[in-house]
Amino acid sequence: MTTTASTTVRVKVAVAAAGFTSFALLYAPQPVLPQLAQQYHLDPGGASLAVSVATGALAISVLPIAALSEVVGRRSVIIASVVISAVLGLLLPLVPSYSVMLVLRAVQGVAIAGFPGVATAYLVERLGKVGVAAAVGAMIAGNSIGGMTGRLATGFTAGPLGWRGALYVVAGISLVCAIVTVVVLPRGRQHQEDRQSLRDVGVGLLHAVRKPVLLAQYAVALLAMGSFVALYNAAGFRLTGELHLSPAIASLVFLAYALGSVSSATANRLATRIGRRRAIIGALLLMAVGAALTIPESVAMVAVGFVVLTCSFFAAHAIANSWAAAEAPENARGQTGGCYTLMYYLGSSVGGAVGAVIYGEAGWAWLIAAVAVWLALAAAAVGVGTTVHVRTRELAHT
């Protein structure tokens, strides 16, 4: 069975729309963290829980949902994910207290987990290993555009509408994109007889954590995403506090996501030319450079730094994600995608919360220092993991 050009386009449109929905909803509260802190009398660490609770719940639930997709089918899980998370987004502005908001955000995180946890495996099954890189790029581009649009919509409408009205706007846009996914997403090629039993799922999970090259990609997901979210969680407090910008102007920092979507779509071309290892380590190094550029108390330097940081992060993520998909054992595609997504959102949850605490207690420069250490560890993991992978292959051939 061949994949037609029209089907490929449908797949790309659908996963881009689903990525838009997931990321817009997941990070919508990020630009209004200072307003939440003010209303509920919170420090930066406490306010950042509005983001970290959702990403943490996503991280915890992604593997069980990936296992579920082996039984019920990946398309069904993706459809349920985008629809339920969008509906929960419409309920979020109605919460009577911050504690109730955290509970609802946790439930929303579980719902959102259905898309990122199985999307890459769906793409491999639908398009094959050859076509997956371009589709992953389209998906991550949708993620980045969704993250940017959701944050900008929240930041710009929080002034006239308040943070509740701003969240309504994002939820409405996300619901439209969820409907696009429902209508456009083709069925996968996985037939009922190909679906795995729970025992097979467990065996596949063991295979997904045995290959050093896959462990290296999981490390990139954990540490790069943790660094990225830590800086963006604290950015609103620094821009509206130390640099005295309005919430609407401060939210312009998220325009960097537009360039991030471009870098994610083109990163795998660069990796093809110079090699995945060099490309991903170079991207991590550029992330550290971008973070360092934000240290001076200059709005222009902060803007440039976040552009460099964002472009290099999405490049690293695109390469690591497609690399993990390509190296996934055939009986562990869903589990490999689940492991990658688990580490990605665990990094978002833990890194985002820890970063906000570091900023609140020690300031921006110490946060940058912590991020530099995390990125160095990610680069080291890629170096070690790929070296072991190459040597293992050489021994196998011998």
Side-chain angles (χ1 to χ4, degrees):
M1 178 180 178
T2 58
T3 301
T4 64
S6 61
T7 299
T8 301
V9 170
R10 286 181 60 193
V11 169
K12 290 181 179 180
V13 169
V15 297
F20 185 105
T21 299
S22 300
F23 267 65
L25 291 169
L26 189 61
Y27 292 107
Q30 199 171 49
V32 294
L33 292 182
Q35 289 89 325
L36 291 175
Q38 183 178 11
Q39 177 163 348
Y40 294 111
H41 309 291
L42 306 167
D43 59 19
S48 72
L49 290 176
V51 175
S52 296
V53 162
T55 54
L58 191 161
I60 292 171
S61 54
V62 69
L63 281 178
I65 290 177
L68 177 65
S69 75
E70 298 285 356
V71 179
V72 303
R74 307 199 204 283
R75 183 182 186 276
S76 299
V77 171
I78 292 172
I79 294 298
S81 170
V82 295
V83 171
I84 294 172
S85 58
V87 171
L88 289 172
L90 293 172
L91 298 177
L92 192 63
L94 302 176
V95 296
S97 66
Y98 189 62
S99 58
V100 175
M101 170 183 275
L102 295 183
V103 172
L104 192 59
R105 284 286 288 164
V107 176
Q108 190 178 41
V110 173
I112 291 172
F115 171 68
V118 307
T120 303
Y122 168 85
L123 291 175
V124 172
E125 289 172 356
R126 199 66 185 78
L127 303 179
K129 290 187 176 182
V130 175
V132 71
V136 166
M139 178 182 70
I140 295 176
N143 295 349
S144 62
I145 293 171
M148 178 188 70
T149 304
R151 289 165 166 101
L152 287 174
T154 305
F156 273 95
T157 57
L161 301 180
W163 65 264
R164 295 178 190 272
L167 294 182
Y168 264 130
V169 170
V170 175
I173 297 171
S174 298
L175 182 61
V176 172
C177 290
I179 293 171
V180 170
T181 302
V182 172
V183 173
V184 176
L185 187 69
R187 295 191 178 277
R189 292 182 176 178
Q190 188 185 40
H191 301 291
Q192 183 66 43
E193 60 268 22
D194 297 327
R195 294 176 183 168
Q196 297 181 342
S197 66
L198 291 178
R199 179 183 178 280
D200 292 334
V201 170
V203 172
L205 181 59
L206 289 176
H207 289 167
V209 297
R210 288 172 60 182
K211 295 180 71 172
V213 68
L214 290 178
L215 295 177
Q217 310 321 310
Y218 303 155
V220 172
L222 173 73
L223 295 165
M225 184 58 165
S227 301
F228 185 70
V229 175
L231 291 173
Y232 268 103
N233 273 1
F237 292 97
R238 187 177 187 226
L239 292 171
T240 58
E242 297 172 31
L243 301 182
H244 310 294
L245 300 179
S246 67
I249 299 300
S251 68
L252 289 175
V253 70
F254 298 114
L255 283 172
Y257 271 66
L259 294 175
S261 66
V262 175
S263 69
S264 68
T266 59
N268 281 294
R269 298 178 196 171
L270 175 64
T272 301
R273 291 181 182 178
I274 68 173
R276 286 168 171 160
R277 177 176 175 174
R278 289 181 180 178
I280 203 167
I281 291 177
L284 293 169
L285 176 61
L286 280 176
M287 279 190 70
V289 171
L293 289 174
T294 67
I295 293 177
E297 292 191 358
S298 162
V299 174
M301 287 297 292
V302 170
V304 170
F306 269 100
V307 167
V308 174
L309 171 82
T310 304
C311 289
S312 51
F313 165 72
F314 278 107
H317 173 38
I319 297 167
N321 199 358
S322 61
W323 197 350
E327 291 290 342
E330 289 189 7
N331 67 330
R333 289 171 180 162
Q335 294 90 328
T336 299
C339 286
Y340 184 91
T341 307
L342 164 65
M343 301 307 287
Y344 185 80
Y345 288 105
L346 185 64
S348 176
S349 179
V350 177
V354 171
V357 171
I358 292 173
Y359 172 73
E361 296 295 326
W364 189 260
W366 280 101
L367 174 57
I368 299 302
V371 162
V373 172
W374 298 345
L375 294 173
L377 290 173
V382 172
V384 173
T386 53
T387 299
V388 173
H389 179 65
V390 170
R391 289 179 179 174
T392 300
R393 279 188 171 182
E394 290 174 348
L395 288 173
H397 286 304
T398 302

